Amino acid sequence: LLVVTRSRDAFDTTPAAAEASFTTGDVRLTDDDNGTTLFDIPNMVPGRPASDCIAVTYEGDVLPVEVRLDASAEGALAGALLVTVEEGEGGSFQNCGGFRPEGVLFEGRLDELAGEGPMAAFTAEQTPATRTFRFTFDLDPTVPVEGRARASADLAWTADS
């Protein structure tokens, strides 16, 4: 009887239990434009650059996260617009007062910015993390533009862990 009882215990198939729980991270990226257009310049001429700022904030709980800038552009004027994107601190949407640049993210033509694909803007290593970007546009006097040429651009911020 002892041998049978011990042998049965060796073949007991009751599984051991282990539990697991998973929750997705919160990736929250905002800017301070409140859905308003960053630029609307109806009479652009060479030598009169237009600048404006926008603050981008990451408040998620996935860290670190790479915040990227992606752009698309269309219109005949996209190849004649010079654009400089500076990254820094201070300033806010449509108010570059107090903006302190820390580096140039991009310098070239609007159509080149759109062709770059998503580019690293900043890395958020804590939350919240806010960086301000100053965009400066000017019309290149060396590029011939016929008539009332137009261009439009979409600027999108994404977060990639």
Side-chain angles (χ1 to χ4, degrees), residues 111-132:
D111 60 352
E112 294 170 339
L113 176 62
E116 282 280 317
M119 67 180 71
F122 70 99
T123 300
E125 296 185 8
Q126 62 184 20
T127 185
T130 300
R131 301 301 291 164
T132 304

Side-chain angles (χ1 to χ4, degrees), residues 22 118 142 157:
F22 304 94
T142 66
W157 306 97

Side-chain angles (χ1 to χ4, degrees), residues 85-118:
V85 182
E86 298 168 284
E87 176 261 337
E89 293 183 350
S92 60
F93 181 68
Q94 295 185 336
N95 179 5
C96 290
F99 176 72
R100 295 174 308 283
E102 295 177 2
V104 175
L105 185 63
F106 178 83
E107 193 167 29
R109 300 186 187 289
L110 179 58
D111 60 352
E112 294 170 339
L113 176 62
E116 282 280 317

